[in-house]
């Protein structure tokens, strides 16, 4: 079983602070997706990283894929209350396992004004 | 709305009844995936389908659960003789599968409650 461990599970911070969420595995993934999920809604795709060491930026969000493609991080700069939500990482595989995303447990982020 | 459509959004069933969950993929997407999100747990893969074919059903319970994606119409996840443990949010996702990374786009989900 390929597991993705996300940490921290809960994060409560003040507006303007920076934060980092980690996603770790002992398995190699061909791609790594980050999603954000609001209560009562489905996950919304934020970014996909595919190359070891790749860094992608989305406004105040920075995503990094580890060199060995086993881990990833999401860094948010100057967090805002609108960033509040559940953040999920998901690993994708190639070949016969294509299509079977493995999700982390998620990080519940609360940003207080 | 060009996104993944799921209906119903909420479904209440009594133990022993059948539940049918529908999913229409994004326009241009021919690959459909079903995931289940249990309370306090993460999303778990159930099944991967293409039109008229089941590609991977390794996450589906062996009994009572079935899925299809007919040539015409939405994909259907069917749960027969529901039990309380089936209560969960069921999400459908779709992708284009161009040979690139496995980018899946999710629908809003169906919240199933079994009384």
């Amino acid at each position: 079983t390929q597991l993705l461990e996300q940490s921290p599970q809960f994060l409560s911070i003040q507006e303007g602070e920076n934060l980092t969420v980690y996603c770790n595995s002992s398995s190699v993934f061909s791609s790594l997706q980050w999603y954000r999920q609001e209560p009562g809604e489905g996950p919304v795709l934020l970014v996909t990283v595919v190359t070891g060491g790749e860094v992608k930026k989305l406004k105040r969000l920075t995503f990094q894929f580890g060199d060995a493609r086993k881990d990833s991080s999401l860094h948010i700069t100057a967090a805002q209350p609108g960033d509040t939500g559940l953040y999920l990482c998901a690993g994708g595989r190639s070949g016969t396992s294509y299509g079977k995303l493995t999700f982390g447990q998620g990080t519940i982020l609360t940003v207080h004004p | 709305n060009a996104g993944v459509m799921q209906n119903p959004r909420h479904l209440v069933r009594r133990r022993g009844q059948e539940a049918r969950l529908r999913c229409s993929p994004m326009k241009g997407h021919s690959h459909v995936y079903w995931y289940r999100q249990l309370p306090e747990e993460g999303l778990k893969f159930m099944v991967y389908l293409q039109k008229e074919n089941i590609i991977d059903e390794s996450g589906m319970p062996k009994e009572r659960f079935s899925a299809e994606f007919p040539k015409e119409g939405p994909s259907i996840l069917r749960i027969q003789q529901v039990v309380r443990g089936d209560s969960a949010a069921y999400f459908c996702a779709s992708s284009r599968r161009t040979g690139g990374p496995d980018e899946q786009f999710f629908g809003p989900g169906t919240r199933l409650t079994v009384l």
Side-chain angles (χ1 to χ4, degrees):
Chain A
T1 302
Q2 306 130 22
L3 295 175
L4 271 174
E5 300 286 340
Q6 258 186 265
S7 62
Q9 192 174 353
F10 301 95
L11 198 51
S12 181
I13 62 172
Q14 293 297 126
E15 183 175 1
E17 292 184 6
N18 301 331
L19 66 111
T20 302
V21 177
Y22 300 93
C23 182
N24 296 296
S25 176
S26 58
S27 300
V28 175
F29 290 97
S30 58
S31 66
L32 201 296
Q33 285 80 28
W34 284 91
Y35 292 84
R36 180 179 157 191
Q37 186 177 16
E38 302 279 356
E41 297 295 331
V44 175
L45 181 64
L46 297 175
V47 78
T48 299
V49 285
V50 298
T51 306
E54 182 176 3
V55 176
K56 281 193 174 179
K57 291 194 174 185
L58 186 65
K59 296 184 180 178
R60 294 177 293 101
L61 278 60
T62 301
F63 305 85
Q64 185 163 9
F65 203 10
D67 291 341
R69 292 187 291 145
K70 292 182 179 181
D71 54 85
S72 181
S73 64
L74 157 61
H75 183 79
I76 302 179
T77 304
Q80 299 176 1
D83 295 327
T84 293
L86 173 66
Y87 289 83
L88 297 160
C89 63
R93 300 292 297 271
S94 58
T96 56
S97 294
Y98 188 96
K100 189 176 178 178
L101 288 182
T102 299
F103 278 84
Q105 292 293 90
T107 295
I108 298 175
L109 171 65
T110 305
V111 182
H112 301 279
Chain B
N1 186 347
V4 178
M5 307 282 284
Q6 285 188 255
N7 68 82
R9 292 291 305 272
H10 299 274
L11 183 61
V12 179
R13 285 287 179 266
R14 297 192 180 278
R15 280 179 297 170
Q17 290 184 321
E18 179 180 286
R20 281 187 180 235
L21 288 61
R22 295 175 202 79
C23 169
S24 296
M26 284 179 69
K27 187 176 180 181
H29 287 190
S30 59
H31 300 258
V32 165
Y33 317 83
W34 286 92
Y35 291 81
R36 177 164 63 176
Q37 190 172 39
L38 291 165
E40 308 304 322
E41 291 189 21
L43 281 149
K44 303 293 185 187
F45 169 84
M46 298 181 76
V47 63
Y48 166 23
L49 310 107
Q50 277 183 272
K51 286 285 187 181
E52 299 184 284
N53 284 307
I54 296 175
I55 307 301
D56 183 345
E57 56 181 347
S58 58
M60 288 276 272
K62 298 301 180 191
E63 297 177 349
R64 303 188 297 108
F65 284 72
S66 62
E68 62 176 7
F69 189 14
K71 188 176 180 180
E72 300 292 336
S75 175
I76 306 287
L77 179 66
R78 183 182 177 204
I79 312 172
Q80 294 178 289
Q81 299 175 328
V82 296
V83 300
R84 289 221 173 106
D86 296 333
S87 295
Y90 291 83
F91 292 96
C92 168
S94 72
S95 74
R96 196 184 298 269
R97 186 159 189 186
T98 58
D102 194 1
E103 288 192 326
Q104 298 181 17
F105 297 87
F106 283 79
T110 294
R111 271 90 187 151
L112 173 65
T113 301
V114 180
L115 302 177

